[in-house]
Amino acid sequence: MDVQLKKGLLEGCVLRAIRYDESYGYKIIQDISPFVEISESTLYPVLKRLEAMGMVTTRTAEHNGRLRRYYLITWPGIQKIEEFKEDLKEITRINDYICFEGRLQ
């Protein structure tokens, strides 16, 4: 898969994973894994990029004696999900054109 396309898909998946409740890295990976392959080394740069763009905020809290970073979506992140859904409609139309074996009308 094209790297830029996958990057965008991963950002959409991460934002969706934290849309309704804050979460932390390992849990985000668990939530996304049924849909897309992702590792810690891939996830954390995505989270850092989303934070730099103002789409997520973070907080640190102690959990079982260790510090854990929690991620929470912001309003711009929610808006990005909506933009992503519109982009997917266009991608679906393009996919249908490429994959349709019959004659298009």
Side-chain angles (χ1 to χ4, degrees):
M1 177 182 288
D2 177 71
V3 173
Q4 291 301 316
L5 180 57
K6 187 169 185 176
K7 179 179 159 184
L9 291 171
L10 288 174
E11 287 177 358
C13 288
V14 169
L15 290 170
R16 171 57 181 89
I18 61 173
R19 175 153 191 178
Y20 299 106
D21 198 13
E22 68 179 3
S23 193
Y24 55 95
Y26 182 73
K27 175 92 167 70
I28 293 169
I29 290 171
Q30 288 180 315
D31 292 343
I32 293 173
S33 289
F35 308 101
V36 64
E37 185 178 322
I38 188 167
S39 65
E40 286 183 35
S41 63
T42 302
L43 174 65
Y44 288 106
V46 171
L47 286 167
K48 192 173 210 69
R49 188 168 51 250
L50 291 171
E51 184 178 11
M53 293 187 297
M55 294 187 196
V56 302
T57 59
T58 63
R59 73 175 180 91
T60 304
E62 189 175 327
H63 178 78
N64 292 334
R66 298 177 62 198
L67 290 180
R68 178 183 281 174
R69 179 169 280 192
Y70 290 88
Y71 299 88
L72 180 65
I73 196 167
T74 62
W75 179 246
I78 292 170
Q79 291 175 312
K80 183 66 175 175
I81 289 174
E82 296 307 313
E83 290 172 19
F84 185 74
K85 288 179 351 185
E86 289 301 313
D87 291 345
L88 282 178
K89 290 177 186 175
E90 183 176 351
I91 290 169
T92 300
R93 284 193 303 274
I94 294 167
N95 180 69
D96 290 348
Y97 172 72
I98 292 169
C99 295
F100 187 70
E101 294 190 23
R103 184 179 176 127
L104 294 176
Q105 310 237 340

